Amino acid sequence: MFDPKKLKKDFPIFSRKINDKSLVYLDNASTSQKPKSVINALTNYYETFNSNTHRGIHTMSEEATAAYEDTREHVMKFINANLPKEIIFTRNTTEAINLVAYSWGEENIKSGDEIIVSAIEHHSNLVPWQELCRRKNATLKIIPIKTDLTLDLAAYEKLLSKKTKLVSITAMSNVLGYMPDLNKIIKSAHKVGSLVLVDGAQSVAHMKADVKKLDCDFLAFSSHKMLGPTGVGVLYGKFEILSNMNPFMFGGDMVKSVEQHKAYWNDLPWKFEAGTPNIADVIAFDAALTYLDKIGLENIHKYDQQLLKYAVGKFSKYEKDGVSLILPKSDTSSILSFSIKGIHPHDIAQIFNDEGVAIRSGYHCSQPLIEHLNLSSTARMSFYFYNTEADIDRAEIALKRTLKIFKS
Amino acid sequence: MELYSEIILDYFKNPVNKGIITEPSGTCTEHNPLCGDKIRVDLVLDKKGNVSEAKFSGEGCAISQAATSMLTEKLIGKTPAQIKKIDNEEIYKMLNIPISPGRVKCALLGLVTAKKAAILASPRKPAKK
């Protein structure tokens, strides 16, 4: 049974008070909270089998290696990949994207080639490609956004050509909650021979990611937005593609054999995991995936829609007071950005915080999009399955107080 | 202590010295990339090299707008060297509200901008006839 109120009890942080009020956490697009099982997994590793992976013969090293590799297998199943070696652990989504830019990009992007991103990308899926294009004298093309805040896929089709080598696109905008039609985008890209990277930082926590069905070539996402610890990211890549890529970080663990003047790379996936990895956090990430398996991503996706609808209903009542909802016409989920005429989002977030409600304000690492919307910044509420309609009622109280302070 | 004190809200809603000086002796525009704030400070120096007029423009939160507005009042009569010496504590004292770490940049954006405008300012030459 999917019961958000009951699930919330699994998260110790919700016993916390902020300004003498119970915490309402609506900043899940920044990072999610962690259930007790994930925190316990961290403690358990440090207290009972803390040791390095892939090195020792001793019992604890074997246990740590097994637990670390178990998480890899779990991730593989979670996103329906073919092989554990298609799963590479990084620090975060940003590092996963940079890995592709440096490793695949350095060897495969030539002068005159084109890379396509969209107008709604997070900086992490924009800046690495700007830089790669600059290094290689390639061209970065942008899928435009329409006035209804959805992507112009007709324009996208016209951007595609034989010159397109990579399309890198978000599965869910961290500002708009908008989910582009990836099936269509990926099929069209493959027709011209381009690869596709999907930025799943927001989406993987909220809806089933099936890399076989999607047929994406790369998928990047972060543990910390899906109940797991910070410091763990995932890069999925199709086996044939990863096999032909060279490592871009060198050192221990990523080598099979080292001579004084030459080294031979380890097999996939370890050739991309140089140095001691983030063992504890990867192991605890397994507990996060187990928790999500138990709830079911279909349930989360459905509940997201319910919460968003409720929030839109509440906040749209204040349009006459200058509140504007930044809401795409269709395909949205779990995120509601808004602005209030004459009130800076920092001030909105501050007054919300006084009421114990945590929201985000600013550019959300999406400066080009925010400027395209003709805003200097926005306020953003982002939901997860442990949020309830009562949380949104608390946000409404904070909104009323904001209007009272600034508009009276 | 309330962050949005009556004085702060008053300066935010009815800012003093808000506007642009068309021929300033010194001007500077600064951004706060975190929140998208943008503040411009224009200064006019008289023949003796003292600030005779100070205005600010741009967008920002209540704290940065009020702080900059209050600051422009303090700048009048000061030399660029004196402006350069204004320290952060003076701004906190002037605002008289609790500034959390997240709001430090908001509180100080106006001061940073004013100091740069002061460094760039040269005394106004008498208008040619």
Side-chain angles (χ1 to χ4, degrees):
Chain A
M1 234 309 260
F2 179 77
D3 182 354
K5 267 187 227 146
K6 223 166 133 194
L7 294 172
K8 200 170 197 167
K9 294 199 177 104
D10 295 334
F11 293 74
I13 204 150
F14 291 117
S15 62
R16 166 111 207 235
K17 301 256 187 255
I18 302 286
N19 296 316
D20 297 325
K21 297 184 175 88
S22 62
L23 166 66
V24 171
Y25 187 75
L26 300 179
D27 194 18
N28 293 287
S30 290
T31 195
S32 76
Q33 295 302 337
K34 320 301 173 200
K36 190 75 184 145
S37 60
V38 168
I39 300 163
N40 285 347
L42 275 174
T43 316
N44 183 44
Y45 164 74
Y46 282 124
E47 288 184 351
T48 66
F49 61 106
N50 173 50
S51 45
N52 214 324
T53 50
H54 309 124
R55 287 163 173 80
I57 291 297
H58 62 79
T59 301
M60 292 199 304
S61 177
E62 284 187 344
E63 286 173 1
T65 305
Y68 183 86
E69 293 302 327
D70 276 352
T71 306
R72 197 189 307 277
E73 206 159 320
H74 200 160
V75 172
M76 173 197 82
K77 286 181 193 144
F78 196 83
I79 62 169
N80 198 25
N82 274 317
L83 305 160
K85 59 179 112 177
E86 292 176 320
I87 307 300
I88 297 157
F89 289 119
T90 61
R91 268 192 312 140
N92 45 38
T93 304
T94 301
E95 190 176 279
I97 294 173
N98 273 278
L99 195 163
V100 177
Y102 275 99
S103 173
W104 177 86
E106 277 302 318
E107 293 200 13
N108 291 283
I109 296 296
K110 311 259 178 306
S111 174
D113 285 348
E114 293 177 358
I115 294 174
I116 298 177
V117 298
S118 84
I120 59 171
E121 300 307 322
H122 188 280
H123 294 164
S124 62
N125 193 29
L126 171 64
V127 183
W129 308 122
Q130 291 175 343
E131 285 301 297
L132 179 64
C133 286
R134 191 183 53 73
R135 290 198 299 273
K136 297 292 180 180
N137 199 22
T139 307
L140 188 65
K141 301 250 167 166
I142 315 288
I143 308 169
I145 184 171
K146 294 190 286 189
T147 49
D148 66 8
L149 302 183
T150 64
L151 285 183
D152 188 343
L153 291 190
Y156 164 68
E157 297 290 338
K158 287 186 194 135
L159 292 180
L160 287 167
S161 75
K162 289 276 173 238
K163 289 183 192 165
T164 313
K165 292 293 176 297
L166 179 74
V167 175
S168 195
I169 180 113
T170 183
M172 186 190 286
S173 157
N174 68 311
V175 176
L176 306 170
Y178 169 68
M179 300 169 288
D181 185 348
L182 288 185
N183 285 315
K184 203 171 161 198
I185 289 169
I186 293 169
K187 268 198 195 97
S188 301
H190 284 166
K191 266 187 211 153
V192 299
S194 168
L195 297 190
V196 180
L197 184 151
V198 172
D199 172 1
Q202 291 300 331
S203 68
V204 174
H206 289 273
M207 54 204 249
K208 178 72 186 166
D210 185 330
V211 294
K212 267 192 216 126
K213 219 188 218 167
L214 265 183
D215 197 26
C216 58
D217 301 286
F218 300 104
L219 171 70
F221 57 101
S222 295
S223 143
H224 75 94
K225 290 194 207 283
M226 48 193 295
L227 311 182
T230 52
V232 178
V234 171
L235 175 68
Y236 155 83
K238 281 181 184 163
F239 175 70
E240 321 79 78
I241 299 170
L242 290 179
S243 305
N244 290 319
M245 278 162 54
N246 280 317
F248 87 104
M249 288 236 272
F250 305 94
D253 226 22
M254 54 75 63
V255 281
K256 212 171 235 174
S257 122
V258 180
E259 298 161 4
Q260 196 64 70
H261 292 283
K262 190 177 166 35
Y264 303 89
W265 311 145
N266 203 337
D267 298 326
L268 264 182
W270 305 290
K271 75 174 175 185
F272 291 113
E273 295 179 5
T276 295
N278 189 348
I279 304 166
D281 293 316
V282 166
I283 289 171
F285 182 33
D286 199 10
L289 295 172
T290 303
Y291 193 99
L292 289 172
D293 287 338
K294 201 178 68 191
I295 308 177
L297 284 163
E298 314 72 40
N299 288 326
I300 294 174
H301 190 56
K302 234 184 278 166
Y303 186 59
D304 282 339
Q305 305 297 325
Q306 186 187 325
L307 278 182
L308 181 65
K309 199 172 157 200
Y310 187 79
V312 169
K314 286 274 170 187
F315 273 55
S316 58
K317 286 191 303 189
Y318 300 89
E319 278 171 348
K320 60 184 185 318
D321 301 298
V323 177
S324 321
L325 305 185
I326 301 158
L327 198 64
K329 194 182 85 186
S330 59
D331 306 314
T332 57
S333 171
S334 72
I335 289 170
L336 182 57
S337 286
F338 64 99
S339 63
I340 309 177
K341 199 167 188 293
I343 311 179
H344 192 279
H346 259 40
D347 295 318
I348 301 171
Q350 185 93 49
I351 296 165
F352 273 56
N353 185 62
D354 289 348
E355 294 292 323
V357 182
I359 62 166
R360 173 82 192 267
S361 60
Y363 279 142
H364 319 291
C365 298
S366 302
Q367 193 177 344
L369 171 61
I370 301 290
E371 287 177 351
H372 177 83
L373 299 172
N374 274 325
L375 294 164
S376 57
S377 63
T378 74
R380 178 187 73 187
M381 299 190 287
S382 51
F383 314 112
Y384 211 12
F385 59 83
Y386 41 65
N387 290 124
T388 59
E389 291 179 353
D391 289 348
I392 293 165
D393 293 342
R394 287 270 306 279
E396 188 190 8
I397 292 170
L399 177 67
K400 278 189 201 160
R401 185 154 170 251
T402 310
L403 293 170
K404 188 165 172 253
I405 289 175
F406 279 93
K407 300 260 174 169
S408 57
Chain B
M1 217 173 10
E2 269 286 318
L3 181 62
Y4 297 103
S5 66
E6 262 179 56
I7 296 171
I8 296 292
L9 285 173
D10 190 39
Y11 269 95
F12 176 63
K13 291 173 186 171
N14 311 296
V16 177
N17 293 330
K18 184 138 191 183
I20 288 172
I21 299 172
T22 40
E23 280 181 58
S25 316
T27 179
C28 179
T29 303
E30 276 290 313
H31 298 257
N32 181 350
L34 191 73
C35 42
D37 284 5
K38 187 169 142 187
I39 282 187
R40 169 174 161 179
V41 171
D42 297 337
L43 300 175
V44 174
L45 300 185
D46 62 19
K47 276 181 254 169
K48 286 183 200 155
N50 296 324
V51 172
S52 58
E53 204 185 348
K55 285 203 184 292
F56 81 101
S57 51
E59 291 166 44
C61 64
I63 308 302
S64 75
Q65 292 281 300
T68 311
S69 179
M70 290 162 96
L71 176 66
T72 52
E73 291 183 307
K74 280 172 85 94
L75 299 178
I76 309 290
K78 284 196 164 64
T79 63
Q82 287 169 326
I83 291 171
K84 264 164 42 187
K85 278 193 201 141
I86 300 174
D87 66 7
N88 301 349
E89 281 310 312
E90 230 171 297
I91 301 294
Y92 299 143
K93 223 180 276 171
M94 173 187 86
L95 291 171
N96 194 30
I97 50 170
I99 298 293
S100 64
R103 302 307 289 263
V104 165
K105 278 190 178 159
C106 315
L108 299 179
L109 182 62
L111 179 63
V112 170
T113 316
K115 282 184 178 181
K116 288 192 181 167
I119 290 166
L120 295 169
S122 52
R124 176 170 280 181
K125 295 192 181 82
K128 279 178 196 160
K129 282 189 181 160

